[in-house]
């Protein structure tokens, strides 16, 4: 969520349209609320950074296993809605 949608969307809205937006994910129903004109939270203040990856995240699995190049893996298909760990 954070790297696949939230942060890129916030950055895109500001850079391409000049509009700050705060995206707030709902991890229960996989929706998001967009607050236009509201600055995004700093990474240290954003509770979304404390939410674990989805259980089927290939990047997460490879990082835990200590595989080299795990940081280069693209985040997976978020439409599958796997359970959170």
């Amino acid at each position: 969520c954070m790297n696949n949608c939230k942060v890129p969307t916030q950055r895109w809205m500001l850079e391409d349209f000049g509009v700050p937006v705060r995206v707030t994910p709902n991890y229960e129903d996989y929706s998001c609320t967009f607050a236009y004109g509201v600055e995004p939270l700093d990474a240290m203040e954003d509770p979304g950074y404390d939410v674990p990856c989805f259980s089927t995240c290939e990047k997460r699995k490879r990082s835990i296993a200590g595989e080299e190049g795990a940081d280069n893996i693209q985040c997976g298909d978020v439409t599958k809605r796997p359970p959170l760990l």
Side-chain angles (χ1 to χ4, degrees), residues 56-68:
T56 59
C57 177
E58 192 63 33
K59 184 173 191 167
R60 178 184 176 278
K61 287 183 211 174
R62 290 184 184 190
S63 292
I64 290 172
E67 291 183 28
E68 285 191 37

Side-chain angles (χ1 to χ4, degrees), residues 3-70:
N3 295 317
N4 207 25
C5 183
K6 177 183 167 64
V7 173
T9 298
Q10 292 174 157
R11 185 179 304 125
W12 171 66
M13 290 297 293
L14 185 60
E15 290 176 359
D16 286 7
F17 299 101
V19 177
V21 63
R22 182 180 299 170
V23 177
T24 305
N26 179 329
Y27 298 102
E28 296 297 318
D29 68 5
Y30 300 95
S31 67
C32 288
T33 301
F34 286 64
Y36 296 97
V38 179
E39 293 291 329
L41 292 173
D42 181 68
M44 298 305 287
E45 300 171 1
D46 195 326
Y49 283 97
D50 294 329
V51 175
C53 288
F54 291 111
S55 61
T56 59
C57 177
E58 192 63 33
K59 184 173 191 167
R60 178 184 176 278
K61 287 183 211 174
R62 290 184 184 190
S63 292
I64 290 172
E67 291 183 28
E68 285 191 37

